[in-house]
């Protein structure tokens, strides 16, 4: 999403395939620097935790200047978005052309359950990074990454619901990183997964 949008938007008529996160296109030297930075950031974040790592430490570990790092990624939220790009694209591709039930070939109800499960897998595995990317600024979640893709996909699966676009936003609200991070210690992963699955099934039932 672009411009001054800071909140959820209505479902787009754009085909789902056109909402995929685009691959990064860059010169060979820029690609090498990008890879070095992301490798260093992933290693430091895994070793020390996202909050404990500074941009200066990432630059030093990657062997690039601080100016280069800040110009390219802006801040740690920008690094988080970049680190998540590949994983997002994998999940998007699985939705578009992977085997059912996540991919085409299963019922809408089966695909809805498969997507919420797969998205929770992705979210729990990368929770700190997703949380940072989604809360970098007011409304950041709706402007970054693949939110429009997830929303469009869910809207299509919820086509028989009273308001597919609004219901898709409501389901995605349950999958927000801030929400999950706050409730995970209290509920545990199993109860949270079960709750999201039940709510998704209820929406899918119309």
């Amino acid at each position: 999403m672009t411009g001054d949008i800071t909140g959820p938007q209505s479902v787009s008529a754009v085909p789902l395939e056109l909402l995929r996160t685009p691959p990064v296109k860059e010169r060979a030297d820029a690609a090498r620097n990008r890879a070095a930075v992301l490798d260093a950031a992933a290693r430091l974040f895994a070793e020390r935790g996202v909050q404990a790592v500074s941009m200066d430490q990432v630059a030093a570990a990657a062997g690039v200047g601080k100016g280069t790092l800040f110009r390219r990624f802006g801040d740690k939220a920008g690094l988080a978005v970049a680190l998540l790009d590949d994983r997002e694209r994998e999940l998007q591709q699985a939705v578009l052309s992977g085997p059912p039930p996540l991919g085409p070939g299963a019922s809408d109800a089966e695909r809805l359950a498969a997507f919420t499960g797969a998205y929770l897998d992705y979210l729990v595995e990368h929770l700190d990074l997703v949380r940072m990317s989604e809360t970098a600024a007011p409304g950041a979640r709706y402007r970054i990454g693949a939110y429009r893709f997830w929303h469009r996909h869910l809207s299509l699966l919820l086509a028989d619901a009273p308001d597919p676009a609004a219901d898709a936003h409501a389901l995605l609200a349950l999958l927000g990183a801030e929400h999950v991070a706050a409730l995970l210690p209290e509920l545990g992963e199993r109860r949270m997964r079960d709750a999201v699955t039940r709510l998704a099934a209820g929406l899918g039932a119309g």
Side-chain angles (χ1 to χ4, degrees):
M1 290 187 173
T2 58
D4 296 328
I5 298 170
T6 57
Q9 302 300 301
S10 299
V11 62
S12 170
V14 177
L16 187 60
E17 292 82 354
L18 298 184
L19 296 177
R20 284 181 294 182
T21 304
V24 176
K25 297 179 180 179
E26 54 196 350
R27 302 188 315 273
D29 58 336
R32 285 193 298 271
N33 283 341
R34 176 185 173 85
V37 166
L38 294 182
D39 286 347
R43 184 177 71 254
L44 291 174
F45 289 163
E47 291 173 353
R48 308 177 190 178
V50 176
Q51 297 300 328
V53 176
S54 69
M55 292 288 277
D56 286 358
Q57 290 169 330
V58 172
V64 302
K66 289 187 291 185
T68 298
L69 181 63
F70 280 98
R71 282 194 301 273
R72 183 62 185 272
F73 298 98
D75 53 19
K76 280 202 293 185
L79 270 177
V81 170
L83 283 167
L84 293 169
D85 275 351
D86 286 345
R87 184 65 183 90
E88 280 185 344
R89 282 195 291 270
E90 289 174 6
L91 185 52
Q92 290 168 2
Q93 194 58 46
V95 165
L96 289 170
S97 59
L102 184 57
S107 69
D108 287 349
E110 290 171 325
R111 296 194 72 194
L112 187 61
F115 173 77
T116 55
Y119 190 86
L120 275 169
D121 289 342
Y122 155 77
L123 181 58
V124 170
E125 182 178 356
H126 305 291
L127 186 56
D128 286 345
L129 288 175
V130 179
R131 187 181 183 187
M132 177 172 287
S133 71
E134 289 184 355
T135 59
R141 185 186 186 201
Y142 310 103
R143 298 191 302 270
I144 62 173
Y147 186 90
R148 286 204 301 165
F149 182 98
W150 312 136
H151 180 257
R152 176 66 170 156
H153 178 52
L154 289 178
S155 297
L156 293 171
L157 296 181
L158 294 169
D160 293 332
D163 190 338
D167 288 348
H169 281 308
L171 184 53
L172 285 169
L174 297 176
L175 298 171
E178 187 77 358
H179 176 78
V180 171
L183 296 185
L184 198 56
E186 175 187 345
L187 298 180
E189 187 176 337
R190 183 70 270 158
R191 286 179 68 195
M192 179 162 284
R193 284 180 179 274
D194 289 346
V196 172
T197 299
R198 286 193 301 271
L199 291 166
L203 289 172

